[in-house]
Amino acid sequence: MDSLITAAARALAAGDALLALKYVALREDASALALRGIAMAQLGDLDRARQLVRRAARAFGPREALARARCVLAEAEIAFAARDLGWPEPTLDAARATLERHGDRANAAYARQLAIRRLLLIGRLDEAERALAELDPAPLPPAARAVHELVLAGIAMRRLRTQPARAALIRAERAARHANISALIAEVASAQAMMDAPAAHLIERDGARPLRLQQVEALLASDAFVIDACRYALSDGRTRVSLASRPILFALARALGEAWPDDVARDALIAHAFGFKRVDETHRARLRVEIGRLRALLRPMAEVDATARGYALHPRHARELAVLARPVEEKHAAVLALLADGESWSSSALALALGASQRNVQRALDTLAAAGKAQSYGRGRARRWTTPPMPGFATSLLLPALP
């Protein structure tokens, strides 16, 4: 490896993409193409970066398996940054195996780390935790160790374990400052700010107020009966029931919870849960069926009693009832929560992260675009969606985890 390539690699490791380009901008050999691609990725031109890395992988000969594997790893990281979450996992696994076989422990560990970050982003927390437990961060350089701690913090925040999350963020900040990469330091600072940003709204009898993540954790650990409209679940400190796949039952539970300790009229419940403005006996019969299903699910925690005009919810053990809602109440709030990270998303990546069909996600994006809440650029498979970040809200922390 010649001196210019070495100097460019050191500049990239320090986060100085412009200096790296000064060394290799006019060169067309494989190593220079790879470094130029990484530099363009650091500068935010992900399409150009991907083209350069692919050219570099083709330029390396068949005997240069290690270099080709490193190019695959770089392309996978670029795909992650571009929120191309459908990038083929077997390709990354094969590159990681090659890196391990050739003794490149640092890049092999980074490949594992990249796969874990993808799992975290699409809400597969159990898989991410298992993979993270098998990862040895010892061979990672300071920058990668900072990312490792950010992943730990991200999982802890999504699991509502705020103390481990804060400890991981402190370690991430220490590693980022050791690496002396300003973009990484800023990313850690952004994650730390999320800890103190409103993660939800608490709706009580006397009104609504914002809650930080630590307050949400304390609420769910208390004896209060909580109707969690962020993750579509109900809990009372002893039992937890998920209604993520039962939207009508959850809508009924939330309507009853917001009215507690009063009852809710039958016609109001029908309008809220089914969307019918004109009510007839078939709708009332359907309401009785759904209320029966809700009673069966909530029997360990609460009773749903019929009243003269409707139904009322009565917790069995809890003395208090609270409804936990998202900071922004919007029909397509989950899509907005992901877009609010400031990155460019494809509709397929959003569908993967939300566990929804791509057609439904596309409809949601079209609705948000018509309302001026989202915007797109590009066409066909290259189309990407963005929205301005929502300042002061940690909107994605309480999204439901996928099974």
Side-chain angles (χ1 to χ4, degrees):
M1 187 178 294
D2 60 56
S3 59
L4 290 179
I5 294 295
T6 302
R10 288 175 177 170
L12 287 176
D16 194 341
L18 292 177
L19 179 59
L21 285 175
K22 288 182 179 179
Y23 292 124
V24 296
L26 300 179
R27 293 179 53 165
E28 294 292 323
D29 54 290
S31 297
L33 288 173
L35 293 173
R36 282 167 59 192
I38 296 170
M40 296 306 295
Q42 289 187 5
L43 293 173
D45 191 346
L46 300 181
D47 290 337
R48 180 61 175 159
R50 190 177 307 200
Q51 294 171 11
L52 288 167
V53 170
R54 285 178 177 174
R55 284 178 57 194
R58 290 193 298 267
F60 282 115
R63 294 184 179 180
E64 298 175 289
L66 179 60
R68 292 168 68 92
R70 288 171 178 169
C71 288
V72 170
L73 176 57
E75 186 180 352
E77 185 169 19
I78 292 167
F80 177 83
R83 295 301 186 258
D84 182 5
L85 303 182
W87 205 82
E89 294 180 69
T91 304
L92 181 59
D93 291 339
R96 177 183 54 77
T98 300
L99 293 167
E100 290 176 342
R101 191 164 56 248
H102 286 79
D104 190 348
R105 296 179 60 207
N107 277 319
Y110 194 73
R112 288 182 181 274
Q113 188 182 72
L114 189 62
I116 295 169
R117 291 166 66 192
R118 175 184 174 275
L119 291 172
L120 174 60
L121 192 61
I122 63 177
R124 301 194 180 277
L125 303 187
D126 292 338
E127 294 178 51
E129 282 189 311
R130 286 195 295 268
L132 198 62
E134 299 172 358
L135 174 62
D136 179 15
L140 296 174
R145 282 204 305 274
V147 175
H148 178 80
E149 298 296 343
L150 282 173
V151 174
L152 282 173
I155 293 174
M157 285 190 280
R158 292 286 298 273
R159 293 292 197 196
L160 286 178
R161 298 194 292 255
T162 55
Q163 288 188 344
R166 288 190 184 278
L169 288 174
I170 290 172
R171 296 192 297 270
E173 182 182 18
R174 189 181 303 122
R177 294 196 179 280
H178 186 198
N180 197 29
I181 299 176
S182 57
L184 188 56
I185 294 172
E187 185 176 355
V188 174
S190 177
Q192 290 172 328
M194 290 180 70
M195 291 289 295
D196 298 317
H201 273 133
L202 178 63
I203 302 175
E204 298 176 301
R205 284 175 291 179
D206 55 351
R209 58 188 175 91
L211 293 184
R212 292 180 289 109
L213 200 64
Q214 187 172 358
Q215 294 170 311
V216 173
E217 179 185 22
L219 175 66
L220 293 177
S222 71
D223 294 331
F225 185 89
V226 180
I227 298 174
D228 185 352
C230 299
R231 294 180 291 185
Y232 309 109
L234 295 86
S235 63
D236 65 353
R238 306 179 184 188
T239 308
R240 184 178 187 274
V241 174
S242 174
L243 295 178
S245 61
R246 311 289 291 272
I248 290 178
L249 296 188
F250 184 82
L252 291 172
R254 177 170 178 176
L256 294 170
E258 290 185 357
W260 180 82
D262 299 325
D263 62 355
V264 182
R266 289 175 176 81
D267 289 1
L269 285 172
I270 290 169
H272 184 76
F274 307 143
F276 298 126
K277 295 182 179 179
R278 295 183 179 180
V279 178
D280 57 29
E281 285 305 316
T282 61
H283 301 143
R284 294 189 179 94
R286 183 182 176 189
L287 176 64
R288 287 194 295 271
V289 171
E290 298 296 346
I291 287 292
R293 291 169 176 165
L294 184 62
R295 279 194 182 114
L297 286 171
L298 296 188
R299 189 166 288 119
M301 296 187 294
E303 297 176 353
V304 181
D305 297 328
T307 65
R309 72 183 194 117
Y311 295 93
L313 182 66
H314 298 295
R316 291 183 182 275
H317 311 290
R319 295 182 178 180
E320 294 295 328
L321 186 148
V323 176
L324 198 64
R326 287 174 176 161
V328 178
E329 291 283 62
E330 155 75 44
K331 181 179 180 181
H332 307 298
V335 176
L336 279 177
L338 292 175
L339 291 178
D341 68 355
E343 301 293 344
S344 301
W345 289 74
S346 65
S347 58
S348 60
L350 288 168
L352 184 61
L354 295 171
S357 73
Q358 188 171 347
R359 179 169 294 183
N360 287 340
V361 169
Q362 188 60 57
R363 289 195 188 106
L365 290 168
D366 291 339
T367 301
L368 292 171
K373 297 179 180 179
Q375 58 188 12
S376 66
Y377 62 90
R379 292 184 178 182
R381 296 173 63 88
R383 193 178 192 189
R384 293 293 183 270
W385 292 85
T386 62
T387 192
M390 303 174 66
F393 288 103
T395 54
S396 63
L397 292 181
L398 297 183
L399 287 179
L402 297 181

